[in-house]
Amino acid sequence: MAAPKKVCVVGSGNWGSAIAKIVGANAAKYDTFDTTVNMWVFEETVNGRKLTEIINTDHENVKYLPGHKLPPNVFITRVCETIKDHIKKDAVGMSLIKGVDEGPEGLKLISEVIRVKLGITMTVLMGANIANEVAEEKFCETTIGCKDKVNGPILKELMQTTNFRVTVVEESDVVEICGALKNIVAVGAGFCDGLGFGDNTKAAVIRLGLMEMIAFARVFCTDCPVSPSTFLESCGIADLITTCYGGRNRKIGEAFAKTGKTIVELEKELLNGQKLQGPATASEVNNILKHKNMVDKFPLFNAVHQICFNGHPVTEFISCLQNHPEHM
């Protein structure tokens, strides 16, 4: 019988802690996994106690996920400056980060950055997964993108619960790119809210945004087929809907349209200086489309970029929808 697989959660924000709750319970439940789950965190002091000590002793991340007990087999190891020397070369990584990195040619997927830096096989998990709702065990679905058919079932066993339903697809790049592009569409949905348009208009933004997401994936993912069915998974339409009705990108888009303040000003006021993913991703996408001379084929993505960074009037956002091509 193969040795139990060791599991480690890197990161301890609200999403990392919510996932640790699931992973810890499943690792204790199934013989496939070692029952001890290590968790890497940045050490912080909360009410005079080290955060690692609180989690190890009280099994609760009181700072980032208060009120939810982590399984007692989830222990904490202090985050080193680098984890590279502590990871086996045959390890399998899973990125749960929705966003992109800036590479010399523009958009670079986070999983690819991790794969290059750590030299390990990477997979991704994306879906309509608000961390607190996952931790509260409210039913939701998620999507794992995994190119290797051997690893897929193992990762599904590690992540799936009665209320956290997992689907595995092979198009991992598409799964991940959905997690980044939906934030651009959500900014546009926020513009609609701020301009006082109704649910019909927002539905149009979501549909047209989804069309552009599919079309862009076909531009970006040149080494693999892009099937529309992946966009019907949780990582696609479900996450897009959730983000366009809630979340920080929609919220800032609405405030931008109502107040006339800049994105930077709103980030400071509403997000304590945290950077939004939507506008930054729109800028990255715009760079790629410029190189390919395809900006005009993505009017919604382009409008979000132009409005956020180039002074284009937000009141003209709807005109980009009115002139949108019927088919892409």
Side-chain angles (χ1 to χ4, degrees):
M1 183 176 169
K5 298 181 185 300
K6 292 186 176 180
V7 182
C8 174
V9 178
V10 181
S12 61
N14 63 344
W15 186 212
S17 296
I19 286 298
K21 192 176 173 186
I22 289 173
V23 167
N26 281 350
K29 182 177 175 183
Y30 297 115
D31 293 338
T32 311
F33 310 104
D34 192 306
T35 54
T36 297
V37 174
N38 287 315
M39 191 175 186
W40 296 72
V41 310
F42 283 107
E43 188 66 280
E44 298 179 63
T45 302
V46 181
N47 299 326
R49 294 174 69 196
K50 289 181 177 179
L51 183 57
T52 50
E53 179 201 324
I54 294 170
I55 296 177
N56 280 337
T57 307
D58 302 342
H59 305 297
E60 183 180 350
N61 190 332
V62 293
K63 180 163 183 181
Y64 295 108
L65 196 71
H68 292 284
K69 293 286 183 179
L70 301 180
N73 57 312
V74 177
F75 292 100
I76 298 294
T77 307
R78 181 181 170 84
V79 175
C80 298
E81 284 186 15
T82 175
I83 61 172
K84 186 173 183 179
D85 298 333
H86 301 270
I87 294 182
K88 292 179 179 178
K89 290 301 174 189
D90 61 350
V92 177
M94 176 186 284
S95 173
L96 284 75
I97 302 165
K98 293 178 180 177
V100 290
D101 194 42
E102 185 171 1
E105 285 108 38
L107 201 71
K108 194 162 190 180
L109 299 177
I110 297 291
S111 65
E112 175 65 9
V113 174
I114 298 170
R115 187 189 68 77
V116 170
K117 288 190 175 179
L118 298 183
I120 62 172
T121 298
M122 284 299 298
T123 64
V124 297
L125 182 147
M126 304 279 156
N129 307 139
I130 296 167
N132 282 18
E133 293 182 15
V134 172
E136 288 161 10
E137 299 181 26
K138 293 177 178 175
F139 176 79
C140 69
E141 298 177 309
T142 199
T143 311
I144 291 176
C146 177
K147 294 173 184 175
D148 187 325
K149 289 182 180 178
V150 175
N151 290 329
I154 298 169
L155 295 171
K156 180 170 182 171
E157 184 179 49
L158 178 64
M159 305 305 296
Q160 180 157 276
T161 70
T162 308
N163 289 314
F164 193 66
R165 188 161 68 186
V166 175
T167 302
V168 181
V169 301
E170 289 183 34
E171 294 179 0
S172 62
D173 289 354
V174 178
V175 171
E176 188 169 7
I177 213 162
C178 282
L181 295 180
K182 52 99 182 182
N183 288 321
I184 306 176
V185 185
V187 174
F191 290 162
C192 279
D193 291 341
L195 293 167
F197 291 97
D199 286 338
N200 293 345
T201 309
K202 191 187 276 193
V205 169
I206 291 171
R207 189 189 77 82
L208 296 170
L210 181 63
M211 284 175 63
E212 292 196 14
M213 286 168 62
I214 296 170
F216 185 84
R218 287 177 173 151
V219 170
F220 184 80
C221 305
T222 52
D223 60 344
C224 61
V226 175
S227 56
S229 61
T230 301
F231 292 86
L232 297 177
E233 298 294 346
S234 183
C235 62
I237 188 65
D239 198 11
L240 178 61
I241 291 169
T242 301
T243 311
C244 286
Y245 277 91
R248 61 180 64 174
N249 287 282
R250 189 219 62 82
K251 180 181 179 182
I252 296 284
E254 180 180 24
F256 182 94
K258 281 183 174 177
T259 66
K261 293 178 180 177
T262 67
I263 294 293
V264 174
E265 287 171 331
L266 292 169
E267 285 172 338
K268 284 179 183 172
E269 284 182 26
L270 302 177
L271 302 179
N272 295 319
Q274 281 184 297
K275 293 293 178 189
L276 267 192
Q277 291 166 318
T281 306
S283 182
E284 290 296 320
V285 164
N286 196 260
N287 286 337
I288 290 176
L289 294 175
K290 271 183 186 169
H291 286 307
K292 295 184 178 290
N293 201 26
M294 297 179 72
V295 171
D296 293 343
K297 294 185 182 294
F298 294 82
L300 192 151
F301 286 176
N302 185 42
V304 171
H305 170 74
Q306 296 295 340
I307 291 166
C308 288
F309 297 107
N310 292 345
H312 197 80
V314 69
T315 50
E316 293 181 18
F317 177 65
I318 298 305
S319 66
C320 85
L321 309 181
Q322 293 166 336
N323 300 319
H324 205 283
E326 288 185 24
H327 303 286
M328 296 191 74

